[in-house]
Amino acid sequence: MSTFQPVFCLYRVLTLTLFTLHPLANASQILVVDPSGEGTHRTLSEAIASLPMFCYERTVIYLKNGTYEEKIRIDQDFITLRGESREGVRIIGNLPRQKWIDAPDAIGPAVVNLFGDDIIIENLTIENTQPDTSVHAFAVYGQGTRTLIQNANLWSRGGDTVSLWNYKNGMYYHANCDFRGAVDFVCPRGWCYITSSTFHCVRTTAAVWHAGGYDASQKLVVHNSSFDGDVPFELGRHHYDAQFYFIGCNFSEKVMDRPIYRVRYEDPSKNRPDNWGDRVYFHASQSEHLTWTSDNLRERTPSVEAHEISASWTFDGKWDPEKTIPPQVISIQQHGADKIDLVFDETITVRGHPELRKDGRVLRYVQGAGSNQLRFVGDLPDHPEQENFADWNVHHGELVGNTATRMERKFAP
């Protein structure tokens, strides 16, 4: 596992997004890619190129079924890429990593390259189709944070299939995914939570890898997932300080009887610092031949109970991709007799032309989309500072939280 510096360019680069399609969404927030020509674009690259340099609201790119042999880069924030069906939408490319190293471009080394924050990818397949199991071949590479991938196939026959490498503050969430590859084919740097997923190793190498040397709390948590392979393989390894948790996982007989280990070199100058020692924990994991997967959470300092290990716990409370609570109003600012600003706890995507209504009063949205402060005009309540605006009904539009979460969260639904 090695690090490289991607090449950057000043021209507009690629972007992706998908949220639940809604008839009231602004046209600029929804792009439909259809190879038959029935959508707004025929190719994913065309859709991405049409986006502005900066996205302050969540943009939706909906991919109709088809095979997209394209290499893409996502620089913007708040992008959701959603396929019509998991098996029917395939984004593919034959891209051994060495090919990119020999002739680097501004897009990146993977089929899908992620550089924005709060990106959601779901309901599709991303595959690096190069056939060699002895090389590195990224399906997904990333440097952003709060990356959420769910209901997806992430495949390669090479190493480093999913390489999300923001080593300082990267946070990644994967649910109901199928990972396939050779050495270190899931290899996050930073914080990562994976649940209800399958891992399939195609070579006698380590399946998972973690780097958590920048912050002692960085960790990889794998929950309720299974490991299998074409041949016997090692469960995992690491070169840097790392922290692994396997909670309720199943390990087939193809998992070799070798505990997760630290890679060390004969040349000591190549070895990374060992600040925090071995930190590999298991709970309620199923295997008939591995003695080292027995429960040991109580050996952790401080100890932690299995039921406490969640996505929010993994990310130290900085991000909860599983939360369902809508955006919350945290303060109110009145401007004269008919204007009011609602300040939210996150930035907001505005769809349509929202009105807030209660007891015959109507407040019309006028500005602030993409920020956490939205202005409304109309018939204010007698004491706005005491009003609970979550009790008001939203008409003619929607106010949606921007932060990446598994479910779309609407204000005052």
Side-chain angles (χ1 to χ4, degrees):
M1 186 66 51
S2 60
T3 308
F4 63 90
Q5 295 297 323
V7 177
F8 292 93
C9 194
L10 294 179
Y11 65 79
R12 179 191 297 169
V13 283
L14 312 178
T15 304
L16 306 171
T17 291
L18 277 209
F19 233 82
T20 303
L21 294 181
H22 192 282
L24 295 174
N26 299 328
S28 62
Q29 294 173 341
I30 291 182
L31 301 175
V32 178
V33 181
D34 187 345
S36 71
E38 296 298 317
T40 58
H41 301 276
R42 287 182 178 271
T43 70
L44 181 53
S45 298
E46 289 175 359
I48 291 166
S50 73
L51 295 172
M53 181 175 293
F54 300 102
C55 290
Y56 298 98
E57 299 178 84
R58 188 160 289 281
T59 303
V60 175
I61 298 178
Y62 181 76
L63 291 167
K64 298 288 286 184
N65 284 339
T67 297
Y68 300 84
E69 192 167 355
E70 304 182 51
K71 178 181 177 181
I72 60 172
R73 173 174 174 138
I74 307 172
D75 274 317
Q76 292 88 339
D77 301 334
F78 311 124
I79 302 300
T80 305
L81 177 64
R82 177 177 293 128
E84 181 180 3
S85 68
R86 178 168 172 165
E87 306 297 338
V89 174
R90 299 178 66 242
I91 306 172
I92 67 171
N94 186 327
L95 301 169
R97 177 178 170 184
Q98 190 60 47
K99 180 180 179 180
W100 185 87
I101 293 174
D102 293 341
D105 57 34
I107 298 176
V111 179
V112 172
N113 300 273
L114 309 176
F115 289 85
D117 298 337
D118 289 287
I119 291 173
I120 299 171
I121 296 177
E122 57 191 7
N123 211 38
L124 47 70
T125 296
I126 302 171
E127 182 176 6
N128 192 324
T129 58
Q130 75 78 39
D132 191 346
T133 63
S134 68
V135 303
H136 291 83
F138 303 113
V140 178
Y141 170 81
Q143 289 281 359
T145 190
R146 293 184 301 277
T147 302
L148 191 156
I149 306 177
Q150 61 182 351
N151 305 322
N153 300 321
L154 306 167
W155 295 343
S156 172
R157 289 193 60 78
D160 295 4
T161 303
V162 179
S163 298
L164 300 178
W165 284 357
N166 181 338
Y167 74 94
K168 290 185 179 180
N169 56 18
M171 295 182 287
Y172 326 113
Y173 178 92
H174 309 312
N176 193 27
C177 291
D178 182 59
F179 303 99
R180 299 184 186 182
V183 62
D184 307 335
F185 63 91
V186 175
C187 52
R189 301 171 188 257
W191 292 263
C192 183
Y193 183 87
I194 301 174
T195 185
S196 303
S197 295
T198 54
F199 296 74
H200 193 92
C201 197
V202 302
R203 186 182 170 204
T204 305
T205 49
V208 298
W209 182 95
H210 179 240
Y214 187 79
D215 187 311
S217 71
Q218 292 176 331
K219 60 185 76 73
L220 166 61
V221 175
V222 183
H223 171 260
N224 191 32
S225 298
S226 62
F227 291 79
D228 201 356
D230 293 339
V231 294
F233 65 94
E234 299 167 346
L235 178 58
R237 64 176 190 162
H238 58 109
H239 294 70
Y240 303 80
D241 275 302
Q243 189 172 185
F244 298 85
Y245 295 79
F246 298 90
I247 310 300
C249 291
N250 182 276
F251 306 112
S252 80
E253 70 281 356
K254 292 294 180 63
V255 178
M256 296 170 60
D257 191 8
R258 183 179 186 182
I260 290 178
Y261 62 95
R262 188 184 194 98
V263 176
R264 299 186 184 278
Y265 301 96
E266 292 184 5
D267 180 355
S269 67
K270 295 182 178 181
N271 292 323
R272 305 294 181 176
D274 188 358
N275 294 316
W276 303 302
D278 292 334
R279 295 177 297 168
V280 182
Y281 305 101
F282 295 89
H283 176 78
S285 292
Q286 303 295 318
S287 65
E288 297 180 356
H289 63 298
L290 306 176
T291 59
W292 41 270
T293 61
S294 57
D295 292 7
N296 65 342
L297 280 179
R298 292 185 178 180
E299 297 177 10
R300 181 184 183 273
T301 304
S303 63
V304 61
E305 298 293 332
H307 66 84
E308 299 176 290
I309 297 179
S310 63
S312 179
W313 178 88
T314 300
F315 304 121
D316 304 318
K318 299 174 184 176
W319 178 39
D320 183 4
E322 295 182 340
K323 75 175 180 180
T324 58
I325 299 172
Q328 304 292 300
V329 175
I330 56 176
S331 65
I332 298 167
Q333 299 177 10
Q334 185 173 353
H335 303 275
D338 65 344
K339 296 184 180 67
I340 191 170
D341 289 354
L342 303 185
V343 181
F344 293 84
D345 59 353
E346 63 182 292
T347 61
I348 301 295
T349 292
V350 177
R351 296 177 180 164
H353 306 282
E355 294 180 351
L356 301 181
R357 298 181 181 182
K358 181 180 179 182
D359 298 334
R361 299 179 186 270
V362 178
L363 297 175
R364 297 179 301 279
Y365 163 79
V366 292
Q367 68 182 39
S371 75
N372 70 332
Q373 185 164 328
L374 306 185
R375 176 160 294 182
F376 294 83
V377 298
D379 188 9
L380 300 185
D382 295 334
H383 302 284
E385 71 284 354
Q386 300 176 9
E387 186 69 26
N388 179 11
F389 282 93
D391 292 337
W392 290 54
N393 294 316
V394 181
H395 295 263
H396 304 307
E398 295 173 340
L399 307 175
V400 182
N402 269 344
T403 304
T405 50
R406 293 202 68 182
M407 297 179 60
E408 184 177 80
R409 296 168 299 107
K410 301 174 185 177
F411 174 69

